[in-house]
Amino acid sequence: MNIRGLLLLISVTLIGFGIWLKLLEREEILRAAEERRRFLPEFDVNSVAEVLVKTNAAATTLRKTPAGWVVTKSGNQPANLAAIGDLVQRLHGFQSRENIAVDPSQFANFELLEPVGQATGTGTLVSLKDQNGRLIAAVVVGKTSFSPPEPGSQFPPRPNGRFIVVAGTPGPVRVAAEGFDKLSAKPEDWLEKPGTP
């Protein structure tokens, strides 16, 4: 084989390898998108007109009115639009690295049971509804997840998010890496503060 033929063979091989890598990358992106769709249904963020955040200890309903978002339990005082938008956007674009192998019988251990009365093992329910009161999406945010401990480390493992599951389903359970660590069901935490949008 002459040098020209060898170079042609190398070029064809490299092009084929590049195409193969692109196909693998595309397949991974499609798989991740499909997994996200299976966790939460697609929804239009602009259709959200009510947000409920509830625990056994407190509950807050945030409602969209012609005058803007309000906290209903605080006499319809203005709500923090940025905080509501952040929560809705995080649920809309929710992605997670992996499914956690958790059987529904173990949900209480992860604080993934829906808050009802004073039951133990419950988490924080977040539900989104449209202007007609139809449920768009609902999740239960559970306790903090921790990274595996470093071998031989004297320090405890670091938090890496919170467990989360679609309300009323047997799973899958995922880890929400960020955005839910300070989730509160107290009405005062959702009020618009002076100087906030």
Side-chain angles (χ1 to χ4, degrees):
M1 179 182 286
N2 62 24
I3 190 73
R4 186 174 293 169
L6 182 60
L7 289 174
L8 181 62
L9 179 63
I10 291 171
S11 298
V12 168
T13 303
L14 288 174
I15 290 170
F17 184 68
I19 292 171
W20 179 71
L21 283 177
K22 278 291 180 193
L23 289 173
L24 280 181
E25 181 182 351
R26 182 175 181 273
E27 186 178 308
E28 181 67 23
I29 290 169
L30 290 174
R31 185 187 63 73
E34 179 60 27
E35 277 188 17
R36 187 173 68 80
R37 267 197 299 278
R38 278 183 270 147
F39 185 74
L40 276 178
E42 286 291 327
F43 65 89
D44 177 10
V45 294
N46 295 315
S47 68
V48 177
E50 182 178 297
V51 177
L52 170 68
V53 183
K54 179 183 178 186
T55 64
N56 280 348
T60 298
T61 302
L62 310 161
R63 191 165 288 132
K64 188 181 189 179
T65 69
W69 282 86
V70 298
V71 182
T72 60
K73 282 200 173 178
S74 295
N76 289 335
Q77 291 184 59
N80 184 330
L81 182 60
I84 297 168
D86 183 59
L87 177 61
V88 171
Q89 289 286 359
R90 285 193 185 281
L91 289 174
H92 178 260
F94 181 79
Q95 294 186 32
S96 173
R97 296 181 303 277
E98 60 182 326
N99 290 345
I100 310 297
V102 177
D103 188 83
S105 64
Q106 300 172 307
F107 277 9
N109 298 334
F110 293 84
E111 296 177 3
L112 289 172
L113 296 177
E114 292 186 39
V116 178
Q118 296 302 313
T120 58
T122 61
T124 303
L125 174 69
V126 179
S127 70
L128 311 178
K129 292 183 178 179
D130 67 14
Q131 63 182 359
N132 298 315
R134 284 190 296 259
L135 186 66
I136 296 171
V139 297
V140 178
V141 180
K143 70 180 185 180
T144 302
S145 166
F146 291 90
S147 300
E150 294 285 333
S153 173
Q154 62 180 348
F155 301 107
R158 296 178 355 157
N160 66 353
R162 289 179 69 179
F163 295 103
I164 186 169
V165 68
V166 175
T169 71
V173 173
R174 305 275 177 94
V175 173
E178 56 185 26
F180 296 95
D181 51 330
K182 294 181 180 165
L183 183 62
S184 170
K186 296 177 181 176
E188 60 269 25
D189 292 335
W190 291 95
L191 292 172
E192 181 180 329
K193 307 290 192 298
T196 61

